[in-house]
Amino acid sequence: MNINRALSVAALALIIASGSATAQVKRKPTPSPKNRPATTAAAIYTPTLLPVDKNVLIGKLPNGLTYYIRHNEQPQKRAELYLVNKAGSVLETDAQQGLAHFTEHMAFNGTRDFPKNALVDYLQKSGVKFGADLNAYTSFDETVYQLPLPTDSTAVFEKGFNILANWAGYVTFDPAEIDKERGVVLEEARLRGKNAQERLSLQTLPVILNNSRYASRLPVGKEDVIKAFTAETIKSFYADWYRPNLQAVIAVGDFDVKRVEELIKANFSGLKNPVAAKPRTEFNVPPTPGTVVKIATDKEFPYTLAQIIVKHPQSVTRTTDNYMQSVRISLFNFMLNQRLGELQQKAEPPFLYARTSYGPLIGKQDAFSSVVVAKPDGLEKAVKTVVAETERARKFGFTLTELERAKQQALVGIQNAYYERNKTNSANYVREYQLNFLKGDAIPGIDFEYNFYVNNISKISLAEMNAMAGKFISDQNRVIIVEGAEKDKDKLPDEKAILSWIGAAGNNLTAYVDNVTSKPLMEKAPEGSKVVSETKDEAIGTTTMILGNGLKVVLKPTEFKNDQILINGSAFGGTSLASDADYTSASFAGSVVGSSGISEFNQGQLDKMLAGKNVNVSPYISEITQGIRGSASPRDFETAMQLIYLYFTQPRKDAEIWQGTINQTKALLTNRTLDPLSVYQDTLSNVLSNNNFRGGATTVERLNTANLDKGYAFYKDRFADASNFTFVVVGSFTVDEIRPFMEAYLGALPSTNKKETFKNLKMYPAPGQVTKTVYKGVDDKANVQMIYSGDYVFNEANNLQLDALEEVLNIKLVERLREQESGIYAPGIRANYVKNPQGRYTVTISFTCAAANVDKLIAATLDEINKIKQTGALPADIEKFVAEEARSTQVQMKQNISWAGYLAGVVQNDQDPDQILSHVKNLDQITVQSTKDAAIKYLNNNNLAKVILMPEKK
């Protein structure tokens, strides 16, 4: 359950960027003509209305409720049920501010058929987890409820439509339940707000949203309203706006479509619209004449940033013309941000972060937005650099090679979506249908979209793309925001200064030069080594090979995805083998080398070489391991193998990337101590690592000792012996298909047979009771972490008991701290256990609350823990854990990413891989007595650390 809150300018910029990035997700390489599907009518480009995907059934009941139904078998035996309401905070009266969101909360606290908490209780026993699965959100214009359900239980699945109908029209608003929920809603506001980001957004959003209705109706609402509203006031909001002609039911999953339509008609036809229904006003943001500049500061804000927002009317994709323009925008965003990315590969990058894109904004607007986070005292350079890149595109345009590369990336995305069309997750379709209902965006379906891309993207000309920057840039309806630390207020520009920076940014520009290479990654495959042994595990469908150089490969072919292969190779060692003096250099080695290109190609050249390929490979070095993570489509698997081979044998040493990384890190540290959470994290890290400097944030002093030669040498040493490595490969392949690539590339990796392992640096909490309190922050907001820890025998039986204890604790602390005490929004419970570098466990309980409630809520937590120690978990709570774990395991057994992670863990922990097959059966080992024993064993108050963040003393 969450509020789509108003965000700081930086976060708002990321939302804008992600909106446009979503359009870029559909990108894939040009398919060869022989592999193209039969061309449809999309091949003939005419500006017509986009079709509606024939695989979705769309209907409307006599009362006006809309429904979308689609059969989809990913995941199998599961369905996504959503209730979408065209009712959000923008519809609230002055006396209702915050009640759109409060209504969402009350839907889980009593309806006609599910009094009090009966709904959540029923779903948890059915294997649906509150928060992770069962959830909802409230935004300005909509409130959306999500209900993922199993379809192999007819009773549970069909009851889901009754639940949605209860949310749609039968919430009871019991005054006693309202009073209990007031504290929970206020605590959610405290959790997500009461920080620099919120305070800055309250200064800047009225400017961005031009003091419109949106600016005065943030979903979080007003605290005084939430504390004092009456039941009649919230019932009035519900009666006015929760009505069938403003609602949609979306059902996507592994079910019979006709039966689902019957269930919708049976459950929702009885809903009535008000006799004198209020008109659903469509609010907007009026244009801002000229340019408005807003300078905002906050005591705790650790960054200096600027954002330039040029607002445009909202576009809705309904026709082929609209769709063609959305493709152009995706290409434009990609090319412009590729240029900004290249600037960050310099030894002295001109900014810490920058992004420019065209995409959706709040309030039925689109925006061309540039955001830049500056180095200390570097705002002028950062702003001029970002504006200059847009001006460069406007004056000189893009190059033909840039455009072709962008088209290839777009085709990569759409081809992947097309290849996975029968393996697409149901939630993806839900998002499309939700946008269709709320905004009117067309839903033509992947078959049409793929053919449209393939047949029309080549028609997008360089001249068309070069005209786009000029259309987006304007000094009208423009907002410029500058945010910074209050202590740096005198260093920030005034309105005249920042306008002059922007005005001068386009002076003395030259055309962009696209530095590309036509060379291949490798001229020829290396001389590898053959498979010397091969064993099959028929139970879980894996094949394990040993290559001639000693490297081990575990292969699991699957049919879960059509266009995905996941790769994970690792060996023990990591930074634990670096001396304290060399640790800082070693800690940067993996990330810097992984960003420095490969062989003779710098990172910019490498990125351009890989355009049009669905492949991603990166090296890493962690505390006790080093390795390679990667993914590729089957057609690009050999490229992935080449990259892995080169990261082992020809890593690139780039002084500019190294120095740029060090300089960027130093810049980020400058104002870090202004942020309460960063200061708190430093203390928390010291407790968790027993004051080992490796466990916390670096310092400028340590950065000054970092050395490229030492970092590069450490990297080469970590990847010098392939005989220690095991690679896990999961996805769409056959063993015979990829065996030659294993032998040629992995089999050619160097081998010294050193048999290295990690060092145990004993970076874990010290035994005993520890309490650390940090006083930092101006708002009434406290963070609490309670950490139990100790030695641990790592095995499946113990792991299962700790997992169960985690969920039992979560259930009890939600009931006590949230529902009974109304003192928090949601507890965070995390049981973590490891075998390496030694068997250890931690159970961490975390929550955010008012400072005055810290002691009371810690005592309540300890009281609930003591109850479990005395009597064990309630059978009903065990039933909930078993149901949730069984359901989630069934889903994970059909996911490549789950198998890749599981098999990698099995390798590192030297476990029997077949034990996963008995996991669900072993859930019967969770009993009242076993939870009691686990609580006594693992929740020992003699080994409890409490780390608390409190507001500054006044």
Side-chain angles (χ1 to χ4, degrees):
M1 217 178 286
N2 63 76
I3 316 167
N4 270 12
R5 305 177 55 85
L7 303 174
S8 73
V9 171
L12 189 61
L14 293 174
I15 285 177
I16 296 168
S18 67
S20 57
T22 300
Q24 284 180 230
V25 168
K26 297 175 179 174
R27 42 181 204 202
K28 302 277 132 175
T30 305
S32 66
K34 66 180 181 181
N35 290 331
R36 290 181 183 172
T39 302
T40 69
I44 303 171
Y45 172 64
T46 53
T48 57
L49 284 174
L50 291 165
V52 176
D53 186 353
K54 66 180 185 301
N55 293 308
V56 57
L57 172 64
I58 303 175
K60 185 170 283 192
L61 299 180
N63 59 13
L65 183 136
T66 304
Y67 56 85
Y68 301 77
I69 310 172
R70 183 187 184 114
H71 177 83
N72 186 60
E73 297 181 6
Q74 186 62 31
Q76 292 179 347
K77 300 179 182 179
R78 297 290 182 276
E80 296 281 344
L81 307 185
Y82 275 54
L83 174 69
V84 183
N85 301 269
K86 289 183 179 177
S89 60
V90 77
L91 297 176
E92 297 165 345
T93 64
D94 288 346
Q96 293 172 337
Q97 291 183 74
L99 299 196
H101 175 234
F102 209 108
T103 297
E104 171 214 313
H105 274 246
M106 293 308 299
F108 297 88
N109 285 277
T111 67
R112 182 193 65 187
D113 300 328
F114 298 92
K116 299 183 183 296
N117 292 318
L119 188 151
V120 173
D121 186 65
Y122 170 79
L123 289 171
Q124 285 179 323
K125 289 178 179 177
S126 303
V128 180
K129 193 165 186 176
F130 184 54
D133 301 322
L134 174 67
N135 215 325
Y137 79 83
T138 301
S139 190
F140 291 96
D141 285 302
E142 77 268 8
T143 304
V144 178
Y145 299 83
Q146 65 186 64
L147 179 58
L149 287 175
T151 59
D152 52 358
S153 168
T154 301
V156 171
F157 175 62
E158 297 196 350
K159 179 66 74 172
F161 294 90
N162 174 244
I163 291 170
L164 259 61
N166 271 254
W167 287 335
Y170 306 116
V171 178
T172 51
F173 298 103
D174 181 336
E177 292 297 318
I178 289 174
D179 287 340
K180 285 170 58 179
E181 199 66 17
R182 294 184 201 269
V184 175
V185 172
L186 290 171
E187 287 307 319
E188 182 178 3
R190 189 190 315 276
L191 172 69
R192 303 185 191 281
K194 292 196 181 295
N195 52 26
Q197 177 179 296
E198 181 181 61
R199 293 189 294 269
L200 287 168
S201 71
L202 292 175
Q203 297 179 60
T204 58
L205 277 172
V207 179
I208 296 172
L209 301 176
N210 197 17
N211 295 306
S212 65
R213 179 82 167 195
Y214 287 93
S216 63
R217 288 295 184 270
L218 303 186
V220 67
K222 295 288 183 68
E223 187 171 316
D224 58 338
V225 171
I226 293 168
K227 286 180 176 179
F229 74 87
T230 65
E232 292 309 311
T233 305
I234 194 170
K235 285 180 179 179
S236 174
F237 178 87
Y238 186 72
D240 286 339
W241 305 119
Y242 272 62
R243 62 196 203 213
N245 62 7
L246 294 178
Q247 293 175 323
V249 172
I250 302 174
V252 183
D254 190 1
F255 50 61
D256 177 72
V257 170
K258 289 296 184 185
R259 176 58 181 157
V260 167
E261 187 175 31
E262 291 171 2
L263 289 166
I264 290 173
K265 290 178 178 179
N267 284 278
F268 293 90
S269 293
L271 296 173
K272 307 289 186 185
N273 292 300
V275 175
K278 291 184 178 181
R280 204 300 190 186
T281 305
E282 294 293 331
F283 296 95
N284 56 32
V285 178
T288 305
T291 296
V292 179
V293 177
K294 176 66 178 178
I295 313 295
T297 62
D298 188 87
K299 178 181 177 182
E300 297 173 0
F301 193 60
Y303 308 111
T304 304
L305 64 84
Q307 187 176 13
I308 305 164
I309 307 167
V310 181
K311 295 179 281 184
H312 295 267
Q314 182 186 67
S315 60
V316 178
T317 304
R318 293 193 177 100
T319 69
T320 52
D321 269 350
N322 301 148
Y323 196 94
M324 199 70 162
Q325 180 65 0
S326 73
V327 176
R328 292 188 195 99
I329 289 171
S330 293
L331 299 176
F332 177 85
N333 289 342
F334 177 82
M335 290 189 288
L336 200 52
N337 284 294
Q338 286 291 103
R339 290 185 178 185
L340 291 175
E342 285 186 14
L343 294 175
Q344 285 199 284
Q345 295 169 9
K346 296 181 178 295
E348 286 288 349
F351 42 68
L352 292 174
Y353 168 85
R355 183 169 177 85
T356 295
S357 63
Y358 189 94
L361 185 65
I362 294 169
K364 297 177 178 58
Q365 306 173 98
D366 290 338
F368 181 58
S369 177
S370 298
V371 63
V372 61
V373 181
K375 295 179 179 181
D377 303 319
L379 184 61
E380 180 177 0
K381 183 177 183 180
V383 168
K384 285 183 174 179
T385 301
V386 171
V387 174
E389 287 310 311
T390 303
E391 279 296 303
R392 196 188 313 277
R394 186 178 69 83
K395 287 184 176 182
F396 302 104
F398 297 102
T399 67
L400 186 59
T401 50
E402 285 180 289
L403 179 56
E404 289 307 310
R405 202 160 51 242
K407 289 179 179 179
Q408 286 294 304
Q409 281 299 104
L411 286 164
V412 165
I414 198 71
Q415 190 175 45
N416 178 255
Y418 181 76
Y419 285 171
E420 300 291 6
R421 62 193 182 280
N422 64 338
K423 302 290 176 67
T424 300
N425 196 287
S426 293
N428 292 3
Y429 292 115
V430 170
R431 285 189 286 270
E432 288 186 29
Y433 306 153
Q434 186 175 316
L435 282 174
N436 177 261
F437 177 68
L438 293 172
K439 184 183 170 187
D441 279 341
I443 44 175
I446 187 58
D447 293 278
F448 179 92
E449 292 189 64
Y450 175 77
N451 278 279
F452 188 92
Y453 259 82
V454 167
N455 291 291
N456 291 293
I457 198 168
S458 62
K459 299 173 185 177
I460 296 175
S461 69
L462 192 60
E464 287 176 331
M465 296 306 306
N466 290 345
M468 292 187 74
K471 294 176 182 177
F472 293 159
I473 299 169
S474 175
D475 60 2
Q476 296 298 308
N477 204 14
R478 181 173 69 171
V479 175
I480 299 170
I481 303 292
V482 176
E483 292 182 349
E486 193 174 289
K487 73 178 184 63
D488 296 332
K489 191 172 186 177
D490 294 341
K491 300 178 183 179
L492 298 178
D494 58 16
E495 180 175 337
K496 181 179 178 181
I498 195 162
L499 287 173
S500 71
W501 295 353
I502 292 170
N507 297 341
N508 304 315
L509 292 176
T510 57
Y512 172 80
V513 177
D514 195 13
N515 180 16
V516 295
T517 178
S518 59
K519 292 183 178 180
L521 267 178
M522 297 178 65
E523 295 290 345
K524 62 177 183 177
E527 293 291 331
S529 60
K530 295 294 185 181
V531 172
V532 296
S533 73
E534 181 173 328
T535 57
K536 294 184 183 297
D537 186 332
E538 300 292 350
I540 59 171
T542 60
T543 299
T544 300
M545 298 175 175
I546 307 294
L547 297 170
N549 58 356
L551 183 144
K552 180 189 290 187
V553 184
V554 179
L555 304 174
K556 180 170 175 57
T558 72
E559 297 180 351
F560 308 143
K561 289 283 186 182
N562 298 324
D563 204 38
Q564 182 187 69
I565 300 176
L566 302 180
I567 307 160
N568 190 333
S570 66
F572 284 132
T575 57
S576 71
L577 300 183
S579 66
D580 283 353
D582 291 342
Y583 170 74
T584 302
S585 300
S587 68
F588 282 96
S591 60
V592 169
V593 172
S595 303
S596 296
I598 209 166
S599 183
E600 62 184 286
F601 310 110
N602 65 34
Q603 188 63 41
Q605 291 172 320
L606 180 61
D607 290 341
K608 293 169 184 178
M609 293 169 70
L610 297 177
K613 292 183 180 294
N614 187 7
V615 62
N616 179 49
V617 171
S618 58
Y620 69 89
I621 302 176
S622 66
E623 180 193 342
I624 63 169
T625 62
Q626 61 275 338
I628 298 277
R629 298 187 184 98
S631 63
S633 65
R635 62 191 172 278
D636 295 318
F637 184 72
E638 184 172 12
T639 301
M641 290 293 102
Q642 291 175 341
L643 290 168
I644 291 170
Y645 176 80
L646 292 172
Y647 275 126
F648 268 85
T649 62
Q650 297 180 53
R652 189 167 179 276
K653 186 177 184 180
D654 192 318
E656 286 204 342
I657 297 293
W658 176 271
Q659 197 56 52
T661 302
I662 298 299
N663 290 340
Q664 297 283 75
T665 307
K666 286 180 179 179
L668 286 168
L669 292 173
T670 303
N671 284 333
R672 187 174 182 274
T673 56
L674 298 180
D675 176 32
L677 284 178
S678 295
V679 176
Y680 176 60
Q681 184 61 48
D682 288 343
T683 299
L684 186 61
S685 297
N686 286 337
V687 169
L688 292 174
S689 65
N690 197 13
N691 295 304
N692 190 313
F693 78 94
R694 299 181 184 219
T698 191
T699 64
V700 172
E701 292 73 26
R702 286 202 286 273
L703 289 172
N704 287 335
T705 69
N707 178 279
L708 171 58
D709 291 336
K710 288 183 177 179
Y712 184 72
F714 185 80
Y715 177 94
K716 291 192 72 174
D717 184 59
R718 290 298 80 233
F719 289 87
D721 183 10
S723 68
N724 275 345
F725 277 77
T726 298
F727 275 78
V728 173
V729 184
V730 177
S732 180
F733 61 84
T734 67
V735 172
D736 289 341
E737 283 173 344
I738 68 169
R739 183 195 309 271
F741 300 123
M742 303 286 102
E743 294 177 333
Y745 294 102
L746 299 187
L749 296 178
S751 178
T752 62
N753 295 301
K754 288 171 68 175
K755 305 301 180 187
E756 281 186 315
T757 190
F758 48 77
K759 288 183 180 177
N760 184 2
L761 302 179
K762 299 188 181 299
M763 290 171 53
Y764 49 75
Q769 295 182 335
V770 176
T771 300
K772 298 280 187 182
T773 304
V774 177
Y775 294 92
K776 186 72 175 177
V778 296
D779 270 325
D780 180 13
K781 183 174 184 175
N783 283 8
V784 176
Q785 288 208 28
M786 303 168 63
I787 305 140
Y788 292 91
S789 64
D791 292 330
Y792 184 69
V793 177
F794 185 98
N795 59 44
E796 172 66 7
N798 287 343
N799 297 350
L800 187 59
Q801 295 298 332
L802 255 184
D803 289 342
L805 182 60
E806 174 187 275
E807 181 56 20
V808 167
L809 271 174
N810 181 62
I811 292 168
K812 302 323 292 181
L813 293 182
V814 166
E815 290 175 359
R816 177 69 179 271
L817 304 188
R818 174 180 166 130
E819 304 298 340
Q820 183 177 330
E821 304 285 349
S822 297
I824 69 167
Y825 172 60
I829 319 295
R830 178 61 180 163
N832 187 51
Y833 39 82
V834 297
K835 183 176 182 178
N836 302 307
Q838 76 176 73
R840 296 284 303 179
Y841 79 90
T842 58
V843 177
T844 303
I845 302 165
S846 58
F847 54 84
T848 300
C849 64
N853 289 337
V854 167
D855 290 341
K856 179 181 77 170
L857 294 175
I858 289 176
T861 300
L862 293 173
D863 183 48
E864 290 301 318
I865 288 171
N866 191 50
K867 290 177 183 176
I868 302 172
K869 288 180 180 179
Q870 290 179 340
T871 60
L874 294 177
D877 293 340
I878 294 173
E879 180 187 355
K880 291 174 184 177
F881 165 73
V882 169
E884 291 167 3
E885 185 70 9
R887 293 291 184 193
S888 65
T889 300
Q890 289 168 5
V891 172
Q892 291 167 13
M893 293 282 281
K894 300 289 186 180
Q895 294 176 334
N896 286 338
I897 192 167
S898 297
W899 274 105
Y902 170 73
L903 291 172
V906 162
V907 169
Q908 290 192 4
N909 295 318
D910 194 24
Q911 296 171 278
D912 174 11
D914 293 356
Q915 65 188 11
I916 187 66
L917 301 177
S918 56
H919 181 71
V920 172
K921 180 178 69 69
N922 290 340
L923 292 173
D924 63 8
Q925 296 174 11
I926 307 301
T927 64
V928 172
Q929 184 63 43
S930 76
T931 57
K932 176 181 177 180
D933 294 342
I936 293 170
K937 185 174 185 178
Y938 299 120
L939 303 178
N940 182 349
N941 291 337
N942 292 325
N943 282 325
L944 171 61
K946 291 177 281 188
V947 187
I948 304 164
L949 173 64
M950 295 284 279
E952 295 162 15
K953 295 180 178 179
K954 298 178 181 178

